[in-house]
Amino acid sequence: MATISVRTRDGEIHSFDGRVGASLMENIRNAGLEELLAMCGGCLSCATCHVYVEQVPGSASLPVVSIDETELLEGSDYRQENSRLSCQIPFDETLSGIVIGIAPED
């Protein structure tokens, strides 16, 4: 199975099997981690699925950040170099072992 590890805002790490083909946001929400609001449901219109990509496994790569994603992230007081919107990262086998942290809520 392909695994995802998520660090919640209190520092607790949750690891679970991810569903290939779903976004990281969908996988996180399906795992019951309600701390990630994802209010727009993945439509790239709210930035409430903001995460920090802490570790990408091996030679895996993430999709390039789009202009729309960049603009939404620019509105966050908590943007960092490793900030991404989890709705914009499709999960596949190459990302098994990815570690992300949920960003503070704006």
Side-chain angles (χ1 to χ4, degrees):
M1 277 298 209
T3 61
I4 300 169
S5 293
V6 176
R7 183 183 319 278
T8 56
R9 293 184 186 120
D10 64 4
E12 189 175 341
I13 295 182
H14 301 264
S15 295
F16 51 89
D17 292 330
R19 189 180 61 149
V20 170
S23 68
L24 281 178
M25 178 272 295
E26 291 170 311
N27 275 297
I28 293 166
R29 297 288 295 158
N30 289 343
L33 298 176
E34 296 178 9
E35 191 170 274
L36 191 80
L37 296 178
M39 294 175 69
C40 75
C43 294
L44 191 57
S45 64
C46 73
T48 59
C49 66
H50 181 188
V51 297
Y52 302 127
V53 178
E54 297 178 3
Q55 180 180 331
V56 177
S59 61
S61 62
L62 300 177
V64 175
V65 179
S66 71
I67 292 169
D68 291 336
E69 183 178 359
T70 297
E71 288 175 357
L72 285 169
L73 286 169
E74 285 174 350
S76 174
D77 293 333
Y78 303 102
R79 184 177 187 186
Q80 297 180 1
E81 191 174 308
N82 62 340
S83 287
R84 291 298 305 263
L85 297 181
S86 58
C87 69
Q88 296 303 295
I89 303 173
F91 184 67
D92 64 31
E93 295 89 358
T94 67
L95 292 178
S96 182
I98 192 169
V99 179
I100 64 169
I102 298 176
E105 190 174 352
D106 277 309

